[in-house]
Each structure stands twice: as structure tokens, then as C-alpha cells.
Amino acid sequence: RLDDPLRMKRQKTRIKMANLCCEMESKLIHKCLDPLEGVLDVRVSVIGRLAIVTHDACISGSSIVDELNKAHLGAALSGTNIEDVKERDEHFLINKKEWLPPLLI
């Protein structure tokens, strides 16, 4: 139901990933989480080895971590609720719709 109070309350969950090292794992994270009911946005930082997931309260942070660990991503809950997610984390995240050019060496 759309008027369910759990669906109306949004949370941000910060997840550290031990096995995140390239863009392929970033795509795998989106593949795991985008189909889940209640997941609204997934932002990933490969360099920071973290993801910030915006979701409804109907899905818990621990169930998001469990879903990621089914793909052997070494996910661990680092913080839940909007207050726990620092603004500095937002700076390092790349939305799946954005594209960054390759670095020139």
C-alpha cells in the first residue's frame, strides 16, 4: 500500500564493501539492489568502497547487506538513517546515471 507509514519513511543506509574494486562490482551492486521493493536510490563510490542506499523503512539495512553478500561483495553496515550519513560521503558518490571520463595519466 502506498499510504503505509513504513513506505513513507525514507532512510539512507551507508554500506562499506570489502570486495569493491572496479566499475563491474558497481554495476553488480545496482543489479542486486535496483529490483528490490523499497529501494529508491543507490549511489556507489568505487574509490571509497562504499554505497549509500536510499530506501523505505519497509526494507532494513541488514537485509540490503544480506542481498549484497549473496554476490560476495563483503558488505558491512556502516550507518543507518539520514543523520548517520555524512555530507562528505555524498561528495564521493556517483549516481548510476552519471558518467565520468577516464583519467589521463
Side-chain angles (χ1 to χ4, degrees):
R1 291 181 42 200
L2 293 177
D3 60 345
D4 183 3
L6 289 179
R7 293 191 62 81
M8 295 172 69
K9 184 177 180 193
R10 291 186 177 174
Q11 296 181 338
K12 283 188 180 181
T13 299
R14 184 177 192 263
I15 301 168
K16 293 294 259 175
M17 305 265 196
N19 301 334
L20 176 61
C21 62
C22 69
E23 189 61 29
M24 290 302 292
E25 281 95 3
S26 176
K27 290 178 183 179
L28 179 60
I29 291 167
H30 285 286
K31 187 177 177 182
C32 291
L33 299 183
D34 287 344
L36 294 180
E37 186 175 341
V39 172
L40 305 172
D41 185 46
V42 179
R43 300 182 68 183
V44 178
S45 169
V46 175
I47 294 170
R49 291 187 171 188
L50 69 94
I52 294 182
V53 182
T54 305
H55 56 93
D56 293 328
C58 65
I59 184 168
S60 68
S62 59
S63 59
I64 292 171
V65 168
D66 291 343
E67 194 66 33
L68 291 169
N69 283 330
K70 287 179 186 176
H72 308 287
L73 287 165
L77 198 58
S78 180
T80 304
N81 297 325
I82 294 171
E83 297 82 28
D84 293 343
V85 178
K86 308 281 188 251
E87 286 298 320
R88 64 180 170 79
D89 292 336
E90 297 285 341
H91 174 73
F92 294 104
L93 297 173
I94 301 170
N95 194 311
K96 66 180 177 181
K97 296 177 183 138
E98 296 174 354
W99 178 82
L100 293 177
L103 296 173
L104 298 175
I105 299 176

mmCIF file of all heavy atoms in Angstrom, residues 26 29-30 33-34 39-44 51-54 94-96:
data_model
loop_
_atom_site.group_PDB
_atom_site.id
_atom_site.type_symbol
_atom_site.label_atom_id
_atom_site.label_comp_id
_atom_site.label_asym_id
_atom_site.label_seq_id
_atom_site.Cartn_x
_atom_site.Cartn_y
_atom_site.Cartn_z
ATOM 1 N N SER A 26 30.387 -2.211 -9.159
ATOM 2 C CA SER A 26 29.386 -1.152 -9.012
ATOM 3 C C SER A 26 28.115 -1.519 -9.772
ATOM 4 O O SER A 26 27.008 -1.376 -9.257
ATOM 5 C CB SER A 26 29.952 0.175 -9.526
ATOM 6 O OG SER A 26 28.980 1.175 -9.474
ATOM 7 N N ILE A 29 26.287 -4.195 -7.871
ATOM 8 C CA ILE A 29 25.526 -3.645 -6.743
ATOM 9 C C ILE A 29 24.166 -3.154 -7.222
ATOM 10 O O ILE A 29 23.133 -3.448 -6.624
ATOM 11 C CB ILE A 29 26.319 -2.518 -6.052
ATOM 12 C CG1 ILE A 29 27.537 -3.099 -5.338
ATOM 13 C CG2 ILE A 29 25.430 -1.745 -5.081
ATOM 14 C CD1 ILE A 29 28.540 -2.064 -4.895
ATOM 15 N N HIS A 30 24.159 -2.416 -8.326
ATOM 16 C CA HIS A 30 22.888 -1.927 -8.878
ATOM 17 C C HIS A 30 22.005 -3.086 -9.314
ATOM 18 O O HIS A 30 20.791 -3.068 -9.101
ATOM 19 C CB HIS A 30 23.146 -0.983 -10.049
ATOM 20 C CG HIS A 30 23.623 0.358 -9.623
ATOM 21 N ND1 HIS A 30 22.797 1.298 -9.047
ATOM 22 C CD2 HIS A 30 24.848 0.934 -9.678
ATOM 23 C CE1 HIS A 30 23.482 2.374 -8.774
ATOM 24 N NE2 HIS A 30 24.737 2.179 -9.135
ATOM 25 N N LEU A 33 20.443 -4.526 -6.115
ATOM 26 C CA LEU A 33 19.565 -3.705 -5.292
ATOM 27 C C LEU A 33 18.432 -3.018 -6.038
ATOM 28 O O LEU A 33 17.367 -2.795 -5.459
ATOM 29 C CB LEU A 33 20.388 -2.647 -4.547
ATOM 30 C CG LEU A 33 21.440 -3.178 -3.586
ATOM 31 C CD1 LEU A 33 22.129 -2.031 -2.880
ATOM 32 C CD2 LEU A 33 20.833 -4.145 -2.586
ATOM 33 N N ASP A 34 18.625 -2.647 -7.282
ATOM 34 C CA ASP A 34 17.585 -1.913 -8.015
ATOM 35 C C ASP A 34 16.246 -2.649 -8.074
ATOM 36 O O ASP A 34 15.203 -2.012 -7.950
ATOM 37 C CB ASP A 34 18.060 -1.549 -9.419
ATOM 38 C CG ASP A 34 19.091 -0.425 -9.413
ATOM 39 O OD1 ASP A 34 19.218 0.269 -8.380
ATOM 40 O OD2 ASP A 34 19.767 -0.236 -10.442
ATOM 41 N N VAL A 39 13.734 -0.011 -2.386
ATOM 42 C CA VAL A 39 14.999 0.672 -2.680
ATOM 43 C C VAL A 39 14.705 1.792 -3.677
ATOM 44 O O VAL A 39 14.173 1.554 -4.759
ATOM 45 C CB VAL A 39 16.054 -0.307 -3.237
ATOM 46 C CG1 VAL A 39 17.282 0.439 -3.711
ATOM 47 C CG2 VAL A 39 16.427 -1.327 -2.183
ATOM 48 N N LEU A 40 15.045 3.020 -3.281
ATOM 49 C CA LEU A 40 14.728 4.192 -4.094
ATOM 50 C C LEU A 40 15.917 4.706 -4.891
ATOM 51 O O LEU A 40 15.762 5.180 -6.012
ATOM 52 C CB LEU A 40 14.196 5.310 -3.188
ATOM 53 C CG LEU A 40 13.009 4.923 -2.312
ATOM 54 C CD1 LEU A 40 12.701 6.027 -1.319
ATOM 55 C CD2 LEU A 40 11.808 4.607 -3.168
ATOM 56 N N ASP A 41 17.115 4.636 -4.314
ATOM 57 C CA ASP A 41 18.308 5.157 -4.987
ATOM 58 C C ASP A 41 19.526 4.427 -4.460
ATOM 59 O O ASP A 41 19.610 4.114 -3.267
ATOM 60 C CB ASP A 41 18.435 6.664 -4.721
ATOM 61 C CG ASP A 41 19.587 7.297 -5.478
ATOM 62 O OD1 ASP A 41 19.724 7.013 -6.688
ATOM 63 O OD2 ASP A 41 20.357 8.068 -4.867
ATOM 64 N N VAL A 42 20.465 4.152 -5.356
ATOM 65 C CA VAL A 42 21.717 3.507 -4.987
ATOM 66 C C VAL A 42 22.843 4.344 -5.558
ATOM 67 O O VAL A 42 22.886 4.604 -6.760
ATOM 68 C CB VAL A 42 21.800 2.066 -5.545
ATOM 69 C CG1 VAL A 42 23.126 1.429 -5.174
ATOM 70 C CG2 VAL A 42 20.642 1.221 -5.058
ATOM 71 N N ARG A 43 23.737 4.787 -4.682
ATOM 72 C CA ARG A 43 24.890 5.575 -5.107
ATOM 73 C C ARG A 43 26.141 4.861 -4.625
ATOM 74 O O ARG A 43 26.225 4.458 -3.470
ATOM 75 C CB ARG A 43 24.783 6.981 -4.558
ATOM 76 C CG ARG A 43 23.478 7.624 -5.088
ATOM 77 C CD ARG A 43 23.305 9.008 -4.662
ATOM 78 N NE ARG A 43 24.326 9.829 -5.320
ATOM 79 C CZ ARG A 43 24.479 11.110 -5.095
ATOM 80 N NH1 ARG A 43 23.707 11.731 -4.251
ATOM 81 N NH2 ARG A 43 25.409 11.792 -5.718
ATOM 82 N N VAL A 44 27.122 4.716 -5.524
ATOM 83 C CA VAL A 44 28.296 3.897 -5.251
ATOM 84 C C VAL A 44 29.569 4.703 -5.467
ATOM 85 O O VAL A 44 29.678 5.442 -6.444
ATOM 86 C CB VAL A 44 28.316 2.646 -6.171
ATOM 87 C CG1 VAL A 44 29.552 1.805 -5.923
ATOM 88 C CG2 VAL A 44 27.058 1.821 -5.977
ATOM 89 N N ALA A 51 28.699 2.386 -0.480
ATOM 90 C CA ALA A 51 27.443 2.667 -1.176
ATOM 91 C C ALA A 51 26.510 3.327 -0.175
ATOM 92 O O ALA A 51 26.532 2.995 1.009
ATOM 93 C CB ALA A 51 26.817 1.395 -1.716
ATOM 94 N N ILE A 52 25.729 4.259 -0.667
ATOM 95 C CA ILE A 52 24.668 4.845 0.136
ATOM 96 C C ILE A 52 23.363 4.510 -0.556
ATOM 97 O O ILE A 52 23.170 4.837 -1.726
ATOM 98 C CB ILE A 52 24.847 6.348 0.323
ATOM 99 C CG1 ILE A 52 26.096 6.606 1.158
ATOM 100 C CG2 ILE A 52 23.621 6.947 1.014
ATOM 101 C CD1 ILE A 52 26.385 8.034 1.458
ATOM 102 N N VAL A 53 22.505 3.813 0.170
ATOM 103 C CA VAL A 53 21.237 3.342 -0.374
ATOM 104 C C VAL A 53 20.110 4.124 0.300
ATOM 105 O O VAL A 53 20.002 4.134 1.523
ATOM 106 C CB VAL A 53 21.064 1.831 -0.129
ATOM 107 C CG1 VAL A 53 19.760 1.336 -0.730
ATOM 108 C CG2 VAL A 53 22.240 1.051 -0.689
ATOM 109 N N THR A 54 19.285 4.786 -0.507
ATOM 110 C CA THR A 54 18.085 5.444 -0.012
ATOM 111 C C THR A 54 16.939 4.457 -0.193
ATOM 112 O O THR A 54 16.753 3.921 -1.282
ATOM 113 C CB THR A 54 17.809 6.743 -0.790
ATOM 114 O OG1 THR A 54 18.970 7.571 -0.721
ATOM 115 C CG2 THR A 54 16.613 7.484 -0.210
ATOM 116 N N ILE A 94 28.851 8.372 -7.026
ATOM 117 C CA ILE A 94 28.499 8.542 -8.427
ATOM 118 C C ILE A 94 27.151 7.893 -8.637
ATOM 119 O O ILE A 94 26.981 6.704 -8.383
ATOM 120 C CB ILE A 94 29.545 7.894 -9.356
ATOM 121 C CG1 ILE A 94 30.923 8.510 -9.119
ATOM 122 C CG2 ILE A 94 29.123 8.027 -10.809
ATOM 123 C CD1 ILE A 94 32.037 7.781 -9.812
ATOM 124 N N ASN A 95 26.190 8.653 -9.098
ATOM 125 C CA ASN A 95 24.881 8.101 -9.396
ATOM 126 C C ASN A 95 25.001 7.230 -10.632
ATOM 127 O O ASN A 95 25.793 7.505 -11.535
ATOM 128 C CB ASN A 95 23.889 9.244 -9.623
ATOM 129 C CG ASN A 95 22.459 8.769 -9.601
ATOM 130 O OD1 ASN A 95 22.114 7.802 -10.266
ATOM 131 N ND2 ASN A 95 21.638 9.450 -8.834
ATOM 132 N N LYS A 96 24.211 6.199 -10.735
ATOM 133 C CA LYS A 96 24.312 5.274 -11.869
ATOM 134 C C LYS A 96 24.011 5.949 -13.196
ATOM 135 O O LYS A 96 24.390 5.460 -14.241
ATOM 136 C CB LYS A 96 23.382 4.087 -11.659
ATOM 137 C CG LYS A 96 21.915 4.446 -11.671
ATOM 138 C CD LYS A 96 21.057 3.234 -11.465
ATOM 139 C CE LYS A 96 19.612 3.650 -11.407
ATOM 140 N NZ LYS A 96 18.740 2.539 -11.193
#
